[in-house]
Amino acid sequence: MKFFADTAEIAEIRELAETGLLDGVTTNPSLIHKAGRNFLEVVAEIAEAVSGPVSAEVVALDYDGMMREADVLRQIADNIAVKVPLTEPGLKACKVLTGDGTMVNVTLCFSAAQALLAAKAGATFISPFVGRLDDVGLSGMELISDIRMIYDNYDYETQILVASVRSPMHVVEAAKIGADVMTAPPKIIGQLFKHPLTDAGLAAFLKDWEATGQRIG
Ligand code: G3P
């Protein structure tokens, strides 16, 4: 499973990149607002800090506007994935952009029908928002299972990028289903490392090691 960081905070991205476990980054207009940085500048910095795909989202709602913005975004770096919303103009733009060899992340997916359309439009990534579905009493993970089944039925190459991840269990459940990618805030990625038994076991090992009076090297 690929791990993307869902943030526009360059310091957090650099820190995660140092672990060697980071495969890409996703941003959205809300995350850019939160970072308080110039959109094009921060995306360029992120694209330099990581070698994998960096999603940068268009804000136009019409096809022509999306294509104009996509042109600006894809010129930033080779690893930019243009993010478009799951709308009719968005999928039209997706089809043309992927046909040109540009990576496209189709975002704001909330149904299997939408995911099927995105695959037909040649999307590189489909982003179903699991947390936001859970928020309204629906099952985000059921959607991931449905999309996995549909994509496998037809050998669609579109990668399932699980978004709106709110807990380590979202990551584990998505991995069990076979989602290709998950994107999560750095805080959630950090939580994946943690287990109280690891901390307790480590403390006990170190105590016993000290009692031996030995050193390594
Ligand atoms: O990047 C899109 C998605 O991950 C947003 O997550 O927590 O705002 O629902 P959230």
Side-chain angles (χ1 to χ4, degrees):
M1 184 185 230
K2 288 177 214 158
F3 278 20
F4 289 2
D6 200 24
T7 181
E9 302 289 345
I10 188 73
E12 291 180 340
I13 292 165
R14 289 205 172 107
E15 201 181 318
L16 269 174
E18 277 172 21
T19 65
L21 302 176
L22 188 64
D23 302 298
V25 172
T26 51
T27 67
N28 62 38
S30 303
L31 293 170
I32 296 297
H33 176 61
K34 198 171 155 202
R37 296 274 318 274
N38 175 277
F39 178 36
L40 301 183
E41 276 175 27
V42 77
V43 166
E45 277 178 36
I46 297 170
E48 209 178 300
V50 299
S51 54
V54 174
S55 291
E57 189 161 341
V58 299
V59 289
L61 297 177
D62 63 301
Y63 169 78
D64 289 335
M66 283 183 197
M67 291 303 289
R68 267 196 304 275
E69 292 177 359
D71 255 340
V72 175
L73 297 175
R74 63 181 170 177
Q75 277 173 41
I76 294 175
D78 287 344
N79 56 336
I80 295 294
V82 175
K83 211 172 180 188
V84 299
L86 210 153
T87 58
E88 211 173 310
L91 291 190
K92 191 175 159 192
C94 172
K95 182 87 187 164
V96 174
L97 289 166
T98 52
D100 270 3
T102 300
M103 288 187 287
V104 176
N105 178 358
V106 177
T107 189
L108 291 166
C109 170
F110 293 96
S111 79
Q114 290 181 317
L116 176 57
L117 288 173
K120 284 181 68 63
T124 317
F125 303 103
I126 181 68
S127 289
F129 279 29
V130 293
R132 292 191 195 185
L133 278 169
D134 292 353
D135 288 347
V136 296
L138 296 169
S139 168
M141 281 306 143
E142 209 172 290
L143 175 59
I144 303 303
S145 292
D146 288 348
I147 300 173
R148 181 75 282 159
M149 186 196 300
I150 292 167
Y151 283 10
D152 288 350
N153 282 347
Y154 296 95
D155 290 331
Y156 283 127
E157 285 178 10
T158 299
Q159 297 179 51
I160 304 172
L161 195 173
V162 180
S164 188
V165 163
R166 304 272 172 79
S167 71
M169 277 319 288
H170 271 152
V171 180
V172 173
E173 290 302 323
K176 282 160 76 177
I177 293 165
D180 304 281
V181 192
M182 75 87 198
T183 188
K187 187 179 160 209
I188 304 290
I189 297 177
Q191 287 171 358
L192 292 168
F193 288 90
K194 305 278 183 204
H195 197 289
L197 290 178
T198 304
D199 296 341
L202 194 55
F205 283 158
L206 288 183
K207 190 164 172 269
D208 288 340
W209 177 250
E210 256 174 47
T212 71
Q214 299 180 55
R215 292 177 71 108
I216 300 174

